[in-house]
C-alpha cells in the first residue's frame, strides 16, 4: 500500500465522514504548489476552499511571524490583550470602514456574532433576518438558518424569522423586510452560489433600503477578503459600506482565524458579557493574520490581484472554448460557468496536477494565491484551457 493509500484508509477509520472520502493526503506546500503523500506535485488554485490564505503555502514572512509568536506567547485569555490582536485589528479597520473588531475562528462563528449584534442593535421586537437564495453563510444552527437549500435538510427547525430574497432583485428585498426585520445578510460576491457578481445599483440600493427601513446591513466577506477580489474588501467595489462585516478563511494567513467588524455606530453594541470566544484572537493566529495583512500592504497584493485577474479572465475568454458559457469574477476570484457539470473537470484537473474549486454544479472556481509567480499562473490556466478544449 502506498503512503497515501495508508493515510486515506486511516482517515476513513478515525475521522468523521462528513467531507466524504478524502481525495488526497497532503504533506507539504510551498507558494502556489502543494505535494501529496506519494510525491505528486499540484498547482494550487483551490486555496483550501479559500482558507489557505492569499500568500500561498508557507510564505516565509508568515512562517516567521508564527515561529516568533510560538516562542513568545500562545494563549492569554480575553481578560487580557496582546500586540498581535491590536496590530491586526488596527490594519483591518484602517483598510475597511473603521469601527471595532471581534475575534473568533470560523466564518460561521463570525456570522453568529453578527447575528447577535444585529438582534441587539435592532432592538425589541426585531428579530427577522433577510438573506439571499443561493447564499452561503455557514453550518452552525444560526448561520445555517440563513443558508437555504440542501444544507438544512434534516436539521429543521431553523431559527425563526428567516426570510429569503433574490440576489440582485431589490424589489424582493423590499418585500422581505417588515417591522420585525433586524438585518440583511449579503455576500458582496456570492461564492458557493456560483461566483455571482451583483451590480453597483443593487448593492447601493440595498444600503439605501436598509437605512430607510432601520435595518442593519451585514456583508459576509468570508470568501472575498482580504484583497482577493482586487480590493481589500469586496464591498469597496460598489461605493457603499455595510454596518457589519465578517471575514474568515484567508484572513488568518492560513491559520484558523475570523473577525466580525462593526462600524463605528455599532462598535459598542456587544458590550461586556454579551458575547465571547475563549480562544478568539489568540496571539498565534492573530500574528499569522497580521503578517498576511502586512504582506498585502507591502506588496500591494490587492492591486496585483486586480491586474492578474483581468489577464486570466481575458485569456480564458479569448480562448473561445465551446463548453464555456461565461467567465466572470473580480481579481483572482474567478468563476467559469460551463454548459455541463463541473465536477468531472475538477477531477481531471487534479489528475493533471492542478487543484481548482467548484461552485454549484456547473461552475469551476479559480483562487490562486495573490503572490503566485506569473509563469505558474500561466501554466495553470494553460492546463485548464487544454482540458476545457478537449471536452
Ligand atoms: C465558507 C463560508 C462561510 C463559512 O465559513 P466557515 O469558516 O467554514 O465556518 C461563511 N460565509 C461564506 C461566504 C463562506 O464562503
Amino acid at each position: 500500500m502506498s503512503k497515501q493509500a495508508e493515510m486515506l484508509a486511516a482517515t476513513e477509520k478515525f475521522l468523521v465522514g462528513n467531507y466524504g472520502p478524502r481525495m488526497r493526503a497532503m504533506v507539504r506546500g510551498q507558494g502556489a504548489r502543494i505535494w501529496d503523500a506519494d510525491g505528486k506535485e499540484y498547482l494550487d488554485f483551490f486555496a483550501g476552499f479559500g482558507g489557505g490564505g492569499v500568500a500561498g503555502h508557507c510564505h516565509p514572512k508568515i512562517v516567521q511571524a508564527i515561529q516568533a509568536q510560538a516562542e513568545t506567547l500562545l494563549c492569554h485569555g480575553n481578560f487580557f490583550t496582546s500586540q498581535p490582536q491590536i496590530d491586526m485589528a488596527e490594519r483591518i479597520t484602517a483598510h475597511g470602514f473603521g469601527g471595532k473588531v471581534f475575534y473568533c475562528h470560523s466564518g460561521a462563528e463570525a456570522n453568529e456574532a453578527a447575528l447577535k449584534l444585529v438582534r441587539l442593535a435592532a432592538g425589541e421586537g426585531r428579530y427577522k433576518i433577510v438573506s439571499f437564495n443561493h447564499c452561503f453563510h455557514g453550518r452552525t444552527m444560526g448561520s445555517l438558518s440563513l443558508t437555504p437549500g440542501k444544507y438544512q435538510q434534516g436539521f429543521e427547525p431553523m431559527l425563526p424569522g428567516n426570510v429569503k430574497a433574490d440576489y440582485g432583485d431589490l424589489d424582493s428585498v423590499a418585500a422581505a423586510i417588515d417591522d420585525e426585520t433586524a438585518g440583511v445578510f449579503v455576500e458582496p460576491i456570492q461564492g458557493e452560489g456560483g461566483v455571482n457578481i451583483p451590480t453597483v445599483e443593487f448593492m447601493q440600493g440595498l444600503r439605501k433600503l436598509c437605512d430607510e427601513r432601520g435595518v442593519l446591513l451585514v456583508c459576509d466577506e468570508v470568501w472575498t477578503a482580504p484583497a482577493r477580489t482586487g480590493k481589500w474588501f469586496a464591498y469597496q467595489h460598489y461605493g457603499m459600506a455595510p454596518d457589519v462585516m465578517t471575514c474568515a478563511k484567508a484572513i488568518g494567513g492560513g491559520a484558523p482565524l475570523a473577525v466580525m467588524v462593526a462600524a463605528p455606530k455599532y462598535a459598542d453594541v456587544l458590550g461586556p458579557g454579551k458575547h465571547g470566544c475563549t480562544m478568539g484572537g489568540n496571539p498565534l493566529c492573530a500574528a499569522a493574520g497580521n503578517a498576511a495583512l502586512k504582506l498585502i500592504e507591502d506588496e500591494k497584493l490587492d492591486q496585483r490581484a486586480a491586474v492578474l485577474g483581468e489577464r486570466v479572465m481575458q485569456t480564458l475568454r479569448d480562448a473561445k472554448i465551446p463548453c464555456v458559457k461565461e467567465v466572470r469574477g473580480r481579481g483572482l476570484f474567478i468563476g467559469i460557468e460551463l454548459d455541463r457539470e463541473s465536477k468531472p473537470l475538477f477531477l481531471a484537473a487534479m489528475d493533471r496536477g492542478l487543484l481548482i474549486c467548484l461552485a454549484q454544479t456547473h461552475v469551476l472556481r479559480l483562487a490562486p494565491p495573490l503572490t503566485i509567480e506569473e509563469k505558474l499562473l500561466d501554466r495553470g490556466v494553460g492546463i485548464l484551457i487544454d482540458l476545457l478544449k478537449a471536452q
Side-chain angles (χ1 to χ4, degrees), residues 49 105-109 111 136-139 187 192 220-223 248-249:
F49 289 108
H105 317 292
S106 68
E109 251 185 311
N111 284 329
F136 187 85
H137 296 296
R139 308 273 197 161
E187 291 161 272
E192 299 307 310
D220 180 337
E221 296 256 4
V222 169
W223 235 113
K249 295 195 167 120

Side-chain angles (χ1 to χ4, degrees), residues 379-391:
R379 190 195 298 168
V381 172
I383 293 172
L384 189 61
I385 289 177
D386 276 357
L387 280 170
L388 288 166
K389 281 191 165 159
Q391 292 304 300

Side-chain angles (χ1 to χ4, degrees), residues 118-127 179-182:
V118 161
R119 276 200 179 182
L120 213 54
E124 196 79 18
R126 285 185 177 262
Y127 68 99
D179 292 344
E180 294 178 329
T181 306

Side-chain angles (χ1 to χ4, degrees), residues 141-335:
M141 287 310 295
S143 62
L144 181 65
S145 296
L146 307 180
T147 303
K150 62 178 184 194
Y151 304 103
Q152 295 185 354
Q153 272 166 27
F155 301 107
E156 300 89 351
M158 295 290 120
L159 282 187
N162 280 287
V163 187
K164 294 290 164 283
D166 289 326
Y167 201 61
D169 178 356
L170 278 177
D171 291 341
S172 77
V173 187
I177 295 176
D178 65 25
D179 292 344
E180 294 178 329
T181 306
V184 175
F185 276 63
V186 67
E187 291 161 272
I189 296 176
Q190 279 190 337
E192 299 307 310
V195 191
N196 304 322
I197 300 173
T199 61
V200 170
E201 293 71 35
F202 175 68
M203 292 299 285
Q204 291 191 354
L206 263 189
R207 177 68 279 177
K208 191 157 166 276
L209 197 56
C210 286
D211 287 340
E212 286 167 3
R213 308 285 283 274
V215 165
L216 278 81
L217 181 60
V218 180
C219 273
D220 180 337
E221 296 256 4
V222 169
W223 235 113
T224 46
R228 173 156 296 285
T229 70
K231 303 250 188 220
W232 270 82
F233 302 104
Y235 75 80
Q236 293 164 339
H237 289 290
Y238 310 104
M240 47 73 74
D243 300 308
V244 175
M245 94 177 149
T246 53
C247 311
K249 295 195 167 120
I251 203 82
L257 185 69
V259 295
M260 183 213 57
V261 190
K265 187 176 170 194
Y266 299 104
D268 297 316
V269 171
L270 290 179
K274 290 297 182 195
H275 197 50
C277 178
T278 303
M279 293 292 279
N282 78 86
L284 187 72
C285 296
N290 184 53
L293 298 187
K294 183 161 188 314
L295 195 70
I296 295 171
E297 285 172 358
D298 292 347
E299 301 191 4
K300 298 191 168 45
L301 293 179
D302 49 334
Q303 293 169 29
R304 191 164 195 270
V307 171
L308 292 182
E310 273 312 313
R311 203 176 86 190
V312 169
M313 285 190 276
Q314 204 52 51
T315 306
L316 286 164
R317 288 179 189 127
D318 288 348
K320 302 212 183 311
I321 306 161
C323 72
V324 173
K325 284 171 73 176
E326 190 181 34
V327 178
R328 55 182 181 253
R330 283 198 184 269
L332 285 171
F333 191 46
I334 298 169

Side-chain angles (χ1 to χ4, degrees), residues 332-348:
L332 285 171
F333 191 46
I334 298 169
I336 305 169
E337 184 169 341
L338 307 179
D339 67 0
R340 63 199 66 203
E341 296 219 337
S342 46
K343 184 95 181 270
L345 267 142
F346 159 87
L347 294 171

Side-chain angles (χ1 to χ4, degrees), residues 190-195 335-336 342 357-365:
Q190 279 190 337
E192 299 307 310
V195 191
I336 305 169
S342 46
C357 208
L358 297 167
Q360 293 284 354
T361 52
H362 285 56
V363 179
L364 293 171
R365 186 162 33 154

